[in-house]
Amino acid sequence: MRDLRLHDNPLYHVGDNTSVDPVQCFPVFIFDDHDFAPRPSTCRPQHWNAVHLGPHACRILLESVQDLQQSLRHRGGDLFLRTGSTVPVILKLLQETQATEIVWNEELGIYEQERSQQVLDAITANFPHVTVHTFCDSTLYHPDDLPHGAEEWERYAHPERSKQSKKKQNKKQGKTAKSSGNHLFDHHETPGKSSKNNLVDLAPTRFDGIPPIMGDFRRAARDKAKVRSYLDTPSSRIEYGTMKNYEMPTLENLLRPLLCLSDDDNLIMGLPHSLIRQVCHHAIQQHDTDCKDNLYQGIAHGGETRGLQHLQDFCHHHAATAQRKAFYLRDGIPVNKKAAKVIVWKDWQNESVQLWHQWATGQTGLPLIDAGLRELIQTGYCSNRVRQNAASVLTKDLGLDWRAGAEWFQFLLIDHCVGANWGNWLYFSGKGSDPKHRHFHTVSQALKYDKDGVYVKMWLPELRELVLSFDSEAYLRPWDFSKDASRWKIPIVPPESQYALPDLERLRAEGRLINS
């Protein structure tokens, strides 16, 4: 679902290296029911549900599919749409088209890889004559170009240490053969599968020896791999086939499993069905191109056309694991468990669930956090800075399971990426492979990055009223100006924990954070 474009897409260059007639191509997109239906959450699977694609991400997906279909139609082709479970849909398509080869882009992530393997197994069992060709173009470096094996990872991650070790080894055994570092590796398949297939090797064993520390990984990847060349728009050697097509689903149809939740259904992340429907309606309103709501002005839209425009604008004006399912465990994947900071996670008792509700709905009493969560609920987006602060409060201040935050963000984000979202949540919870431990002071962060309160006042109308009624500094610490809980509630964490020490000392000494 991350290859909905014509530019720089290897799927549309499969015929470049053939000398025979042009390749006939049937571009297909499957709206898989499993992506939109509730499933058990990772943190409370017996009590809460989650979804793979939340409402805002559904909107972006639908807009991207619509844009790609239009682009293909301009080239004389089409994007053939199907709904249902991926495996049976693909088997039916192979029967219908009599295709001899099937090509897809791999998506990184344990569950995405499990689905890919299911498709491969089904094709091998039912259509053994069909060749399977997979690509992986959603990463900066192609997996084939990264180091292979612990020895090579170590050599590139710690070149000086490797040289010293090699000198010692040479003294004992004589000079060893020098590796060129440029050899290509064959694609690997599941044992017993036909060698005619051309598959990107994403098996866990492929990444044995990968450094758990980000700095080591970055050094090894940069020194060993190179970013592959950009591919232009589709090859002229492609001809587009024709077959029966189906109507594009509406966003309401895709969101029906969420819009039709009943009292008998588990709550999505423990939150009221009414809130889930509210998020859905925000997404539907934003999909309506005639919507005039000021909150939605400038909101991101999906599709290659919009994406290229956004990239061009950014470049001209703004440019400046291998751990598999352990990735989703509450205690994470720390490099050194003895050195990892001990975090006592709260059990999901009534008080914890109440704190979770307040955080997830933007009712913490901390302006920066509440503004960020409300923006996220209404638009599917908030800045990386706000995401970091929200993660810090949930995990470091409230001590609640980081996976709940990750799944709520997955539900809400328009730009959800498994690695970026779950990896960053793991990191900010203090349970990732990087040993850093960070706690954000949200008041001081707001003072530094939103000094005039433009952001928080935009998303918190009640805060605007307080500023007008009391003091311009009320947007930073409204609890100090209004003791009326109906106007602003006391934060759910001790307010003093949200100041950096210099700011707290200045507040105590001068009674203000900002000089008048």
Side-chain angles (χ1 to χ4, degrees), residues 291-305:
C291 179
K292 304 301 182 184
D293 194 317
N294 288 333
L295 281 179
Y296 303 144
Q297 299 306 308
I299 201 71
H301 286 278
E304 179 181 27
T305 303

Side-chain angles (χ1 to χ4, degrees), residues 286-405:
Q286 291 162 33
H287 186 56
D288 178 6
T289 55
D290 296 325
C291 179
K292 304 301 182 184
D293 194 317
N294 288 333
L295 281 179
Y296 303 144
Q297 299 306 308
I299 201 71
H301 286 278
E304 179 181 27
T305 303
R306 297 287 189 105
L308 290 173
Q309 292 171 351
H310 182 72
L311 177 62
Q312 185 178 32
D313 177 68
F314 177 81
C315 291
H316 280 83
H317 302 105
H318 309 288
T321 108
Q323 299 292 338
R324 307 295 283 173
K325 291 188 177 181
F327 193 75
Y328 300 98
L329 298 179
R330 187 179 67 174
D331 291 331
I333 48 174
V335 174
N336 187 337
K337 293 185 179 180
K338 291 183 179 179
K341 187 175 179 65
V342 176
I343 297 178
V344 180
W345 302 108
K346 289 186 175 73
D347 292 329
W348 289 107
Q349 304 300 328
N350 290 341
E351 180 185 0
S352 299
V353 172
Q354 179 63 24
L355 290 172
W356 161 252
H357 281 212
Q358 291 170 303
W359 179 90
T361 58
Q363 302 290 336
T364 68
L366 300 171
L368 185 63
I369 304 306
D370 292 350
L373 266 298
R374 294 190 203 180
E375 180 188 18
L376 197 56
I377 287 170
Q378 294 185 53
T379 71
Y381 176 83
C382 66
S383 72
N384 184 57
R385 175 63 51 180
V386 173
R387 298 182 199 191
Q388 292 174 351
N389 277 269
S392 177
V393 169
L394 184 73
T395 60
K396 306 296 174 56
D397 293 303
L398 298 178
L400 297 179
D401 193 333
W402 66 272
R403 299 172 301 173

Side-chain angles (χ1 to χ4, degrees), residues 76-102:
D78 206 345
L79 180 63
F80 299 101
L81 306 176
R82 296 294 186 268
T83 59
S85 183
T86 296
V87 171
V89 168
I90 285 181
L91 296 181
K92 186 175 180 181
L93 283 168
L94 288 173
Q95 180 68 39
E96 182 180 347
T97 61
Q98 297 295 299
T100 58
E101 181 176 6
I102 183 170

Side-chain angles (χ1 to χ4, degrees), residues 220-236:
R222 285 176 175 175
D223 289 349
K224 173 66 169 68
K226 300 290 185 258
V227 178
R228 291 192 173 187
S229 299
Y230 167 84
L231 294 171
D232 209 341
T233 46
S235 167
S236 59

